[in-house]
């Protein structure tokens, strides 16, 4: 078995160890990635690779900087489950190393077990995490690189309850935080490329750190997430990509595996466009469609915008970012 196969096998095995409780979804950061429907593991050629696939730096720009803001939510109605997440990312990198900081906030709302129609209540739990990371990248064969983002994660949790009529307020504010802790974690990635074709694999939250758990509450865990992807450049300036979760991801119990497909390309000299679709392969299959664009303010500075919409039950969101690359 070659070096690339050994790395893939180890990552998939570690992902299979699983995780528990609610978690932040894989697609929590990245306006450009979201615009491609989340099909970005085998693209990851800017500084957001620190999150999406650390090995992507090996084939990216000599220097890259990304400042990114995203938000998405699935509000639901009545006693249906609901979710809201948001993310901030600041990353700076080069082919061999990078530094990053991102903040993620994920809230999940669900009905209180055993509550009757007259006494119906909703319960929400929120996990806020601050990730400070350093990425290292190593080429292990021609066209094959591995990378790791080693992180300190500061997390806190909060819980709240409310009547169904206040579900949107509950998604935005669950009250005072507690159980603040700092944990070590790591994200691992592999990228292999031959000509116009690339394949990637990312394992996030390798140590599955947990936060909270006070007063008899179940701790909130950053579940291990593994996603594989492929991309191809059929024409100069255009990319087509597809991703699939190797293990379930998402922010609710019974997490589902998702698939994504997207494309990105240059439409005009200063204008890039992208689009994609994302759907679950089990459970709630409500698809979401994404679109986005980038305007080149200068030869090396781009402004990205993106939006996600979908059928009832699908997450809806938006993102904006600034990228610098040389």
């Amino acid at each position: 078995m070659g070096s690339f196969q050994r790395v893939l096998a180890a990552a998939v095995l570690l992902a299979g160890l699983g995780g528990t409780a609610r978690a932040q979804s894989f697609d929590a950061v990245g306006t450009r990635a979201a615009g491609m429907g989340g099909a970005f593991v085998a693209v990851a050629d800017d500084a957001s690779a620190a999150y999406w696939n650390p090995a992507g730096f090996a084939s990216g720009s000599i220097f890259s900087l990304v400042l990114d803001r995203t938000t998405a939510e699935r509000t639901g109605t009545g006693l249906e489950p609901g979710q809201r997440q948001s993310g901030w990312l600041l990353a700076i990198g080069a082919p061999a190393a990078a530094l990053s900081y991102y903040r993620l906030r994920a809230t999940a709302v669900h009905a209180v077990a055993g509550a009757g129609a007259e006494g119906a209540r909703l319960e929400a739990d929120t996990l806020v995490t601050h990730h400070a990371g350093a990425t290292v990248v190593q080429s292990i064969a021609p066209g094959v690189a591995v990378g790791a983002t080693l992180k300190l994660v500061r997390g806190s949790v909060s819980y709240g309850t409310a009547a169904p009529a206040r579900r949107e307020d509950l998604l935005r504010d669950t009250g005072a935080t507690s159980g603040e802790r700092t944990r070590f974690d790591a994200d691992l990635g592999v990228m292999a490329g031959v000509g116009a074709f690339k394949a990637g694999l990312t394992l996030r939250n390798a140590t599955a750190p947990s936060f909270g758990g006070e007063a008899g509450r179940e701790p909130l865990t950053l579940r291990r997430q593994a996603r594989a992807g492929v991309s191809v450049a059929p024409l100069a300036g255009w990319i087509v990509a597809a991703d699939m979760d190797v293990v379930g991801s998402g922010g609710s119990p019974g997490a589902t595996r998702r698939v994504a497909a997207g494309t990105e390309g240059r439409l005009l000299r200063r204008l890039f466009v992208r689009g994609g679709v994302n759907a679950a392969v089990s459970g709630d299959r409500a698809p979401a469609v994404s679109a986005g664009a980038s305007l080149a303010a200068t030869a090396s500075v781009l402004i990205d915008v993106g939006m996600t919409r979908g059928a009832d039950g699908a997450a809806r969101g938006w993102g904006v970012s600034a990228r610098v690359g040389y």
Side-chain angles (χ1 to χ4, degrees), residues 114-170:
E118 294 183 0
R121 300 287 291 175
L122 293 174
E123 184 175 66
D125 49 53
T126 296
L127 174 61
V128 177
T129 53
H130 302 261
H131 305 244
T135 301
V136 291
V137 185
Q138 177 65 50
S139 295
I140 59 174
V144 181
V146 295
T149 298
L150 309 177
K151 308 180 296 181
L152 288 178
V153 184
R154 185 72 171 172
S156 61
V157 301
S158 59
Y159 305 93
T161 60
R166 292 192 57 242
R167 63 180 297 123
E168 292 194 14
D169 294 336
L170 202 57

Side-chain angles (χ1 to χ4, degrees), residues 31-173:
T31 296
R32 184 181 168 209
M36 295 181 68
F40 204 67
V41 166
V43 180
D45 56 1
D46 58 39
S48 68
Y51 179 93
W52 276 89
N53 186 346
F57 283 105
S59 56
S61 303
I62 296 175
F63 169 85
S64 179
L65 182 148
V66 170
L67 177 61
D68 186 273
R69 161 66 168 165
T70 54
T71 185
E73 67 177 34
R74 187 180 67 182
T75 57
T77 59
L79 297 177
E80 294 177 349
Q83 299 172 351
R84 178 179 169 83
Q85 66 179 26
S86 61
W88 286 94
L89 168 72
L90 174 61
I92 182 171
L99 295 174
S100 59
Y101 164 80
Y102 55 93
R103 176 189 182 274
L104 305 179
R105 182 184 190 275
T107 299
V109 170
H110 52 92
V112 175
E118 294 183 0
R121 300 287 291 175
L122 293 174
E123 184 175 66
D125 49 53
T126 296
L127 174 61
V128 177
T129 53
H130 302 261
H131 305 244
T135 301
V136 291
V137 185
Q138 177 65 50
S139 295
I140 59 174
V144 181
V146 295
T149 298
L150 309 177
K151 308 180 296 181
L152 288 178
V153 184
R154 185 72 171 172
S156 61
V157 301
S158 59
Y159 305 93
T161 60
R166 292 192 57 242
R167 63 180 297 123
E168 292 194 14
D169 294 336
L170 202 57
L171 278 167
R172 287 163 173 76
D173 184 13

Side-chain angles (χ1 to χ4, degrees), residues 142-261:
V144 181
V146 295
T149 298
L150 309 177
K151 308 180 296 181
L152 288 178
V153 184
R154 185 72 171 172
S156 61
V157 301
S158 59
Y159 305 93
T161 60
R166 292 192 57 242
R167 63 180 297 123
E168 292 194 14
D169 294 336
L170 202 57
L171 278 167
R172 287 163 173 76
D173 184 13
T174 51
T177 61
S178 64
E180 197 166 23
R181 301 173 183 172
T182 300
R183 297 284 187 263
F184 171 79
D185 197 12
D187 301 334
L188 311 175
V190 184
M191 188 80 85
V194 178
F197 175 84
K198 291 199 296 184
L201 175 67
T202 302
L203 170 65
R204 291 189 43 75
N205 310 322
T207 70
S210 294
F211 304 91
E214 289 76 12
R217 295 274 191 170
E218 182 182 13
L220 303 187
T221 300
L222 294 182
R223 181 188 288 111
R224 293 186 184 95
Q225 302 166 331
R227 179 174 288 190
V230 294
S231 69
V232 64
L235 300 170
W238 282 91
I239 299 171
V240 178
D243 280 13
M244 173 178 279
D245 288 335
V246 177
V247 295
S249 115
S252 61
T256 59
R257 293 169 58 227
R258 303 193 68 82
V259 294

